[in-house]
């Protein structure tokens, strides 16, 4: 069901803009912290090693360290610092669980060989996509049923949720303070830095009968 919920959300955005129930926010937002309610269970003993990636228009703009989430953790926070990460437009946030292979445990500095290797060393926990024009409050909450991937994954708590906290919204008061953080590993990591979209070809596909192709033209990114 990946991105199905996102498509539904964007239809609701469009409907709200047409009806006037959503007022466009044209100012940039500052994402100060992300709070995950509940502990996803991606480790046999419970918990996970979570990190998040933030994309602005499919361009990676932030990667967190790896957060060690224990099975008894009620919630954990990824703090993006002050004044926060400036965002505008179409935003995609993805949370992964960091797997460690036997080779990595024996040799922590080992390098990645291919994108397929990176995929096996991380698993998607959840993803959510939104547009800043529709955000008018400091906290944007996604329940489990609103999170792509997590909505159908039994490893994500049934009562779990994700809260995005923003600064920079005038006359709305300060954003809520972050919850106590869990241990974070911020050392360089080839798996967390690997970008899912770095090789995405956005060049339009031309049909054999297109005028551009017959004329020998081409598109540039």
């Amino acid at each position: 069901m990946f991105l199905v919920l996102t498509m539904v959300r964007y239809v609701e955005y469009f409907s709200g803009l047409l009806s006037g129930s959503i007022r466009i926010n044209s100012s940039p937002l500052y994402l100060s912290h992300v709070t995950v309610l509940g502990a996803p269970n991606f480790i046999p003993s419970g918990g996970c090693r979570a990190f998040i990636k933030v994309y602005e228009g499919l361009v990676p703009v932030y990667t967190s360290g790896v957060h060690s989430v224990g099975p008894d953790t009620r919630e954990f926070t990824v703090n993006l610092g002050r004044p926060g990460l400036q965002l505008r437009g179409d935003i995609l946030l993805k949370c992964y669980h960091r797997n460690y292979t036997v080779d990595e445990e024996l040799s922590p500095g080992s390098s990645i060989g291919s994108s397929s290797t990176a995929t096996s060393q991380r698993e998607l926990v959840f993803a959510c996509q939104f547009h800043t024009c529709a955000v008018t409050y400091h906290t944007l909450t996604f329940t489990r049923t609103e999170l792509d991937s997590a909505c159908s994954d039994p490893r994500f708590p049934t009562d779990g949720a994700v809260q995005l906290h923003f600064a920079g919204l005038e006359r709305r008061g300060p954003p809520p303070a972050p919850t106590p953080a869990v241990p974070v590993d911020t050392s360089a990591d080839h798996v967390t830095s690997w970008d899912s979209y770095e090789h995405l070809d956005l060049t339009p596909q031309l049909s054999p009968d297109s005028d551009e192709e017959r004329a020998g033209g081409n598109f540039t990114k």
Side-chain angles (χ1 to χ4, degrees):
M1 294 185 66
F2 181 59
L3 293 184
V4 172
L5 297 177
T6 290
M7 289 187 286
V8 172
R9 185 176 306 115
Y10 273 64
V11 170
E12 292 174 349
Y13 285 165
F14 187 66
S15 175
L17 291 172
L18 289 178
S19 66
S21 61
I22 294 179
R23 300 183 63 181
I24 295 178
N25 170 41
S26 59
S27 301
L29 301 179
Y30 295 85
L31 181 61
S32 61
H33 52 285
V34 177
T35 299
V36 180
L37 306 179
N41 291 311
F42 281 72
I43 301 174
S45 58
C48 64
R49 293 180 290 269
F51 68 94
I52 68 169
K53 296 183 74 71
V54 180
Y55 299 83
E56 186 178 62
L58 295 185
V59 176
V61 293
Y62 177 81
T63 301
S64 76
V66 178
H67 293 63
S68 297
V69 181
D72 298 326
T73 301
R74 293 187 176 182
E75 59 185 67
F76 67 94
T77 292
V78 178
N79 199 330
L80 282 73
R82 296 183 178 181
L85 177 66
Q86 181 174 322
L87 299 172
R88 174 178 284 177
D90 192 42
I91 308 301
L92 172 64
L93 186 146
K94 303 178 79 171
C95 177
Y96 291 95
H97 164 64
R98 173 65 163 95
N99 284 319
Y100 289 100
T101 65
V102 174
D103 291 340
E104 282 186 300
E105 292 174 353
L106 295 176
S107 179
S110 60
S111 60
I112 189 168
S114 66
S115 60
S116 60
T117 303
T119 303
S120 67
Q121 291 173 315
R122 69 183 192 183
E123 293 182 78
L124 183 64
V125 178
F126 66 80
C128 54
Q129 194 166 1
F130 63 95
H131 200 286
T132 59
C133 77
V135 179
T136 56
Y137 292 93
H138 277 299
T139 300
L140 180 61
T141 301
F142 296 90
T143 63
R144 179 179 184 267
T145 58
E146 297 173 314
L147 294 169
D148 292 303
S149 186
C151 64
S152 57
D153 191 337
R155 294 174 295 182
F156 195 89
T158 56
D159 58 349
V162 176
Q163 296 179 334
L164 311 183
H165 302 289
F166 299 96
L169 292 169
E170 298 180 358
R171 297 183 299 278
R172 294 290 186 182
T179 57
V182 298
V184 183
D185 181 2
T186 58
S187 58
D189 189 326
H190 54 274
V191 173
T192 62
S193 62
W194 182 69
D195 175 31
S196 306
Y197 303 102
E198 64 183 352
H199 302 303
L200 183 65
D201 186 2
L202 300 179
T203 303
Q205 297 297 315
L206 301 178
S207 69
D209 297 326
S210 68
D211 293 335
E212 291 85 355
E213 188 171 60
R214 287 199 301 268
N218 57 69
F219 289 91
T220 58
K221 295 181 182 180

